[in-house]
Amino acid sequence: MSRYSLFGTSACHLCEQAQSLLESCQRAGLEFEFVCVDISESDLLFERYGLTIPVLRHPQGRELLWPFDLAQLQDFLDD
């Protein structure tokens, strides 16, 4: 099963929206796992993603930057 990383912070309402979209895809039957990564815990991650969160990273390294909708997310997860 593929495992994705959702980069964000705990105080980010956009990150909460992205997480909700991911959970919707799981409820719809798409099989994948994701882990939320708080970029505030790493200087390197904060420097890389601080202005672009939320960002979803594919296990192979591709990234989906916000804003994205459900259809774009499903396409990204299907690839």
Side-chain angles (χ1 to χ4, degrees):
M1 182 176 297
S2 296
R3 185 173 188 183
Y4 295 79
S5 298
L6 179 62
F7 294 96
T9 64
S10 60
C12 171
H13 73 283
L14 298 176
C15 301
E16 291 172 3
Q17 290 177 18
Q19 183 174 346
S20 179
L21 287 174
L22 285 162
E23 291 166 349
S24 293
C25 288
Q26 288 176 323
R27 284 191 301 273
L30 289 176
E31 294 187 15
F32 66 94
E33 296 176 350
F34 73 95
V35 59
C36 293
V37 179
D38 191 331
I39 65 167
S40 68
E41 297 176 6
S42 164
D43 291 340
L44 180 64
L45 292 177
F46 191 82
E47 185 176 317
R48 180 170 180 180
Y49 296 113
L51 298 176
T52 60
I53 59 171
V55 175
L56 183 64
R57 182 186 288 167
H58 189 279
Q60 296 175 345
R62 293 181 294 111
E63 295 180 337
L64 180 62
L65 306 177
W66 190 262
F68 52 84
D69 60 23
L70 188 57
Q72 292 168 315
L73 177 57
Q74 289 172 332
D75 287 344
F76 183 77
L77 295 170
D78 285 340
D79 286 342

